[in-house]
Amino acid sequence: KPALQAELSKELQLYYDHIVATLRSPDCPRKTSTLQHVASDPGLQQLLPYFTRFIHAEVAASLKSLPRLASTLRLAAALLANPHFSLEPYLHQLLPALLTLTLGKPLHAKPAKPSVPPPIDPATDHWSLRAAAAALTARLARSFHANYASLQPRITQTLLAAFLDPAKPPPTHFGAIAGLAALGPRVLAAVWIPHVPAYVAALRDALAGTSKKHRRFEIARVAAALVAAVAAVAEAGVMELKGEPAVAKAEAEDVEMEEDGVVAKEEEEE
C-alpha cells in the first residue's frame, strides 16, 4: 500500500482497498461500474496520489500479466475522464506507465506454443492494449498542452526514437506507430513520414529473413499499422503522398498481404 496511508480516513482507505481488489480480480462483475464511479465521483481527489502511485507500481510489477495491465489502463482512463481531478502533479507517474504499456517488451507471458495468428481479445491481447495506451497517452498530451507546451514534443520524440531503433522488437515498433498516429496526422507528416521508406525496406528484409510464424505475424501487424497511419496522413490532406512515401505505403501493403496469404494457406492445410 502507498506510504501515504496514514493521511486517509478509514472510509477512504477501505474504498481504495476495494478498488485495488476489484481491479486485480480477473472475473469481478463490478469492475466496470466501479471504474465508472471513479470516473465521475467528485469526492475522490484525496485518493488521486494513491491511484497514480498504484498505476505506476502495478505496470512495473505486472508486465507479464495482460489482464492486470488492461485493468490498470482502465483505471488510468477513469482518472483522466473525471472532470473533478487535477492530474498535473501526477503526470510524472502516469506518463511513464502509459509509455511502458505502449512500447514495453514484453507485455505478456510467452506461450509454450503460440498460435498464428494469436487470439485477439481486447482484455488479453497486447496489440489492443498498446493501441489503447497510445490513444490515452495522446489524450493526456492534448489535455495538458496549454500548461505544458513541451509535453507533446517530448512524447513525440520518445515514440519516434522507439520506432527508429532497429534493436526494438516489432511490438514496440507497432506501439510507436500507434502512439504517433494517435497524436494526429500533422505529427505523422512532420516527423514520421520521412522515415517510412527506409523502414519499409527494412521490414521487407525482416520478413524475408525469418520463417518463424509468430515473428512473421508480428511483422504483418506492424505493416498494417504503418499502412493505416500513412493513409491517415493522406486522408487528412496534411500532405500529398508522392515519390518514396507512396511507394513505401504500397510495399507495406504488400508485406501485410503476403503474410495474410501465408497464414490463410497454413490454416487451409490444417
Side-chain angles (χ1 to χ4, degrees), residues 181-203:
L183 291 173
R186 292 188 179 279
V187 170
L188 288 171
V191 305
W192 180 72
I193 284 290
H195 301 286
V196 167
Y199 182 83
V200 171
L203 202 64

Side-chain angles (χ1 to χ4, degrees), residues 27-252:
D27 301 311
C28 181
R30 302 185 306 275
K31 189 173 293 187
T32 296
S33 61
T34 298
L35 288 169
Q36 287 173 344
H37 187 259
V38 172
S40 58
D41 193 325
L44 300 180
Q45 178 71 29
Q46 195 175 349
L47 282 177
L48 199 49
Y50 289 76
F51 285 144
T52 55
R53 183 174 296 189
F54 170 79
I55 289 168
H56 186 82
E58 191 77 347
V59 167
S62 306
L63 291 180
K64 294 187 178 182
S65 175
L66 283 171
R68 279 202 176 187
L69 293 177
S71 293
T72 305
L73 181 62
R74 292 179 67 189
L75 175 60
L79 299 186
L80 193 56
N82 192 320
H84 308 286
F85 285 164
S86 177
L87 289 173
E88 287 96 328
Y90 311 107
L91 293 178
H92 68 288
Q93 291 179 324
L94 282 176
L95 188 55
L98 291 176
L99 287 172
T100 295
L101 292 175
T102 303
L103 303 172
K105 174 188 178 293
L107 292 183
H108 59 95
K110 185 177 181 181
K113 194 174 183 180
S115 58
V116 179
I120 302 300
D121 181 343
T124 59
D125 169 58
H126 73 92
W127 305 100
S128 300
L129 183 71
R130 291 175 193 276
L136 196 60
T137 301
R139 183 178 171 188
L140 189 104
R142 288 191 294 269
S143 297
F144 298 99
H145 175 71
N147 294 334
Y148 299 94
S150 66
L151 184 60
Q152 180 168 313
R154 285 165 47 205
I155 292 172
T156 299
Q157 288 304 313
T158 298
L159 295 169
L160 185 63
F163 173 75
L164 293 176
D165 188 346
K168 300 293 185 184
T172 295
H173 289 176
F174 173 91
I177 295 170
L180 290 165
L183 291 173
R186 292 188 179 279
V187 170
L188 288 171
V191 305
W192 180 72
I193 284 290
H195 301 286
V196 167
Y199 182 83
V200 171
L203 202 64
R204 292 186 67 87
D205 290 343
L207 184 66
T210 183
S211 60
K212 294 181 179 180
K213 296 178 181 179
H214 192 67
R215 179 50 61 93
R216 291 177 68 87
F217 174 76
E218 289 181 337
I219 292 170
R221 290 303 299 263
V222 174
L226 188 148
V227 169
V230 174
V233 174
E235 290 170 6
V238 176
M239 64 182 296
E240 184 178 355
L241 296 179
K242 294 181 179 180
E244 289 187 357
V247 173
K249 178 178 180 289
E251 290 180 347

